[in-house]
Amino acid sequence: MTPAELSDAVQIAVSAAVQAGELDAEVPREVHLERTRTREHGDYATNIAMQLAKPARKPPREVAEIIAGHLRRASGIEKVAVAGPGFLNITLDSGAAGRLAYQIVVAGTAYGRSETLRKQRINLEFVSANPTGPVHLGHTRWAAVGDSLRRILEAAGADVASEYYINDAGVQMEKFANSLLAAARGLPAPQDGYGGQYIADIAAKILEAAPHLADAPDADALPEFRERGHRLMLAEITGSLEKFGVHYDVWFSERSLHASGRVDEAIATLRTQGHVYDLDGAIWLRTTDFGDDKDRVMVKADGEKTYFAADAAYYLDKRSRGFDTCIYMLGADHHGYIGRLRALASCAGDDPDISVMVLIGQLVKLLQGGEELKMSKRAGTIVTLEDMVDLVGVDAARYTLARSSTDSQLVIDVEEITKQAPENPVYYVQYVAARTFRVAANARDLGIEWSPPESFHPELLTDDREARLLAALGDFPRVVASAAELREPHRIARYMEELAGVYHRFYDGCRILPRGEEEVSDLHRSRLWLNDATRTVISNGLAMLGVSAPERM
RNA sequence: GCGCCUGUAGCUCAGUUGGAUAGAGCGGCACUCUUCUAAAGUGCAUGCCGCAGGUUCGAUUCCUGCCAGGCGCACCA
């Protein structure tokens, strides 16, 4: 029995009570069920009686007793107890509870997937680091969280396109080109330019590919350095992200917006919507009409288009491609963008509550010897995605970055990364994958046959640890759905850590395979089903985080 | 000054429509392997859930104020 089925059963019990005239209240559309902390409180608890107490004008415990009376008649329920201020503690019949394992195994990779976000077309933009330097640790957090979110949204049935916006127009590229040129000439990095070893490396690569640039006049060499440097840097970024398991559906160039005239078009479109005006020689968008702090310049007095103008064109482009919702994942240093992006959507005639969602993530703070290490491309003291992967590997890196809420700053001690690697919770979770695999492999070696459905006897799974495991496994679809709706991948990770603990305790207390001369029993076979179900959930969950489910560790 | 985020165990952090004795991992102490992987399990210790009010039968959760930390407030990108 799944939580959803139980939730329906409770609802039916409530309406039965209402129909019998015992309860004068509206039947709630949803029944909130939660897994209990201890088995003394049964498998699931609901606070429905306390919620209905007020409208029904009866004490909560009395309401609880009434509902319990009806709920006890439902099939698959062994016990209903009224506890505390009016909780209904429900214990499932072990046969009904155990059938969940069968459903999970049959569903396989589909278990946890849903239609919650069906038909929603979502554009998910993340990382979008300037192609003027490597992907640093701050971006890496977005790579891990963003890519996981893409997988989770898809699991919830949304139609998602992940996208990387390449800021390849503007002065940053010129600074980058100047820095490369300086490095190629053996000069120090220009004021306001980029330093760091990667600049010298790229400059050397360019000279290797195009030796004639060594003697070319600066004016001729500069564009070459810019274009070649851009290509090399972007290739490096793409490569790092690919190795990190991050896939993008679209790599979108800012330049292409300017080149195709879409920036001008966007300004014209917004002008016809009536939100554009001219002042002091500049062209403005009146974002203050929609709650922004101040109006935003789209074209400066010198005729240059601002970054925001390109943003506007990019937004309109996304909408024209049919996306209902555009998710922007930005660092905390960009939180001032929320207002203008939402206002931009309003100016374009959209409802920003639907079409724009800005996820602000706090920055990753690096400590080295108790001192904060600033991440700056200019200073050249960057810890990059590649650095972190080299230290701990893709799995641990992705998991570590994705397991915390993006609302909280992440403090990572550079020196502790390596040292703590074996203690990373990712191994605690992955160990479940390895254990479940080994158990099944050993069972096959012993010649145990458990795959036919008739070898599964859910009613034998009566141990508390089996009940806890079943309840935990049953939670997975709800966790995935809420992670998708709230755009919070860390919920998957936290759930899996909990599931891992529950499984380890089951493994420790409930012998799955026969010992020595012991005969193979139905209980062994049934526990193998539970083992398989756990492996299914753990691998599905790890896949959503882009982390492998190893067969051995 | 204004705005956003955060403040929970020694450390890193969970805790969504308010609920039962506030949790996990790591770290500390003490235990458990001749039998499925001990990267595990069991027990113990450590908490004015930043502070003060308010709403409520009930607040870590909601509201207000204050304190502390981070990050922003360009005709930069």
Side-chain angles (χ1 to χ4, degrees):
Chain A
M1 178 180 260
T2 65
E5 289 162 354
L6 178 57
S7 175
D8 289 344
V10 174
Q11 214 167 12
I12 290 165
V14 173
S15 41
V18 171
Q19 268 171 18
E22 298 162 3
L23 211 57
D24 182 20
E26 233 174 273
V27 180
R29 282 186 304 140
E30 266 191 347
V31 174
H32 184 70
L33 273 182
E34 58 185 35
R35 223 158 11 104
T36 54
R37 242 196 307 277
T38 75
R39 195 81 205 299
E40 292 160 38
H41 295 152
D43 295 312
Y44 293 95
T46 176
N47 60 353
I48 187 74
M50 289 181 278
Q51 286 180 334
L52 291 177
K54 205 167 222 173
R57 290 186 304 279
K58 280 187 200 298
R61 287 192 64 105
E62 194 178 319
V63 175
E65 288 295 353
I66 292 168
I67 299 170
H70 289 274
L71 193 55
R72 286 188 187 106
R73 284 173 224 152
S75 70
I77 290 172
E78 185 183 296
K79 203 173 91 184
V80 181
V82 176
F87 289 102
L88 279 174
N89 290 337
I90 303 162
T91 307
L92 297 181
D93 163 72
S94 58
R99 270 191 289 281
L100 178 68
Y102 175 79
Q103 293 169 324
I104 292 172
V105 172
V106 169
T109 53
Y111 184 67
R113 301 185 75 88
S114 71
E115 300 291 298
T116 313
L117 303 180
R118 197 167 63 92
K119 290 198 175 150
Q120 287 195 30
R121 294 206 57 198
I122 298 175
N123 181 284
L124 182 63
E125 186 203 325
F126 57 100
V127 181
S128 297
N130 285 356
T132 53
V135 180
H136 64 60
L137 198 48
H139 296 129
T140 307
R141 184 180 201 179
W142 299 122
V145 175
D147 186 66
S148 298
L149 184 56
R150 179 177 71 81
R151 295 161 190 250
I152 291 163
L153 291 172
E154 276 171 358
D159 183 1
V160 190
S162 58
E163 200 149 319
Y164 188 113
Y165 184 51
I166 309 163
N167 296 125
D168 50 8
V171 302
Q172 294 303 323
M173 284 308 295
E174 296 310 317
K175 287 180 186 171
F176 179 57
N178 282 319
S179 307
L180 289 174
L181 182 63
R185 301 275 190 263
L187 301 169
Q191 191 86 13
D192 235 26
Y194 296 103
Q197 186 57 40
Y198 74 96
I199 289 288
D201 293 344
I202 292 174
K205 267 192 199 169
I206 293 173
L207 285 180
E208 199 180 316
H212 66 278
L213 291 176
D215 308 313
D218 285 2
D220 296 340
L222 197 61
E224 282 281 322
F225 273 100
R226 189 182 59 222
E227 294 314 305
R228 287 171 182 273
H230 173 237
R231 275 200 299 279
L232 287 169
M233 199 67 249
L234 200 57
E236 193 181 314
I237 291 170
T238 311
S240 302
L241 290 168
E242 282 292 329
K243 270 192 277 178
F244 203 51
V246 176
H247 167 73
Y248 283 100
D249 298 305
V250 177
W251 291 79
F252 197 100
S253 155
E254 182 189 356
R255 258 189 221 174
S256 73
L257 283 171
H258 291 284
S260 64
R262 272 173 290 175
V263 178
D264 293 313
E265 271 173 43
I267 296 168
T269 301
L270 291 165
R271 198 185 278 278
T272 58
Q273 304 264 26
H275 303 293
V276 173
Y277 65 94
D278 301 85
L279 182 72
D280 297 336
I283 300 176
W284 300 70
L285 185 66
R286 193 176 285 109
T287 51
T288 50
D289 283 351
F290 300 101
D292 196 9
D293 302 339
K294 56 192 72 169
D295 291 340
R296 304 294 166 180
V297 172
M298 302 191 84
V299 183
K300 298 191 274 180
D302 65 7
E304 283 283 312
K305 285 160 193 118
T306 61
Y307 189 79
F308 180 66
D311 272 346
Y314 187 29
Y315 171 74
L316 292 176
D317 185 85
K318 283 177 182 172
R319 294 282 290 141
S320 74
R321 282 186 274 146
F323 295 107
D324 306 314
T325 302
C326 301
I327 300 182
Y328 296 79
M329 303 184 78
L330 304 174
D333 52 343
H334 284 72
H335 79 255
Y337 277 58
I338 300 174
R340 77 191 67 166
L341 285 172
R342 287 176 56 88
L344 167 64
S346 296
C347 288
D350 294 334
D351 177 354
D353 287 337
I354 296 167
S355 67
V356 170
M357 171 169 265
V358 184
L359 301 181
I360 293 298
Q362 300 303 309
L363 305 175
V364 178
K365 197 168 165 183
L366 288 177
L367 292 181
Q368 189 162 44
E371 297 265 315
E372 183 175 354
L373 192 65
K374 291 281 184 191
M375 287 177 293
S376 159
K377 282 178 203 170
R378 291 179 179 80
T381 58
I382 21 179
V383 175
T384 65
L385 184 158
E386 301 267 348
D387 292 337
M388 188 169 183
V389 169
D390 286 347
L391 283 170
V392 300
V394 171
D395 283 345
R398 283 192 66 136
Y399 193 89
T400 302
L401 292 168
R403 74 184 284 268
S404 315
S405 160
T406 53
D407 279 343
S408 58
Q409 278 188 15
L410 205 52
V411 180
I412 296 178
D413 190 320
V414 177
E415 288 153 354
E416 296 279 307
I417 291 180
T418 358
K419 205 164 70 184
Q420 286 188 349
E423 279 78 43
N424 190 303
V426 71
Y427 299 106
Y428 186 71
V429 175
Q430 284 185 312
Y431 191 49
V432 173
R435 266 190 163 172
T436 51
F437 183 85
R438 294 314 306 167
V439 169
N442 291 342
R444 279 191 296 275
D445 288 348
L446 289 171
I448 300 174
E449 180 59 62
W450 77 96
S451 45
E454 59 272 20
S455 70
F456 181 51
H457 298 271
E459 71 281 358
L460 297 177
L461 301 174
T462 55
D463 190 279
D464 273 4
R465 285 162 292 217
E466 292 163 337
R468 303 306 295 179
L469 180 54
L470 283 163
L473 293 170
D475 249 0
F476 186 55
R478 296 198 291 184
V479 172
V480 176
S482 68
E485 278 176 68
L486 300 167
R487 283 82 160 106
E488 292 185 347
H490 76 274
R491 287 170 185 276
I492 303 281
R494 298 299 173 152
Y495 162 77
M496 294 221 289
E497 287 168 32
E498 196 190 327
L499 174 62
V502 175
Y503 174 80
H504 286 314
R505 283 186 280 279
F506 157 74
Y507 175 92
D508 201 64
C510 302
R511 177 79 197 185
I512 301 170
L513 300 180
R515 301 158 189 262
E517 300 300 302
E518 197 184 344
E519 200 143 317
V520 181
S521 71
D522 284 341
L523 180 59
H524 294 131
R525 282 185 282 262
S526 301
R527 283 179 172 164
L528 278 165
W529 277 84
L530 200 45
N531 185 71
D532 285 350
T534 305
R535 178 159 176 86
T536 300
V537 174
I538 285 286
S539 15
N540 291 358
L542 285 173
M544 285 177 200
L545 297 177
V547 176
S548 69
E551 293 180 355
R552 66 183 69 235
M553 293 178 72

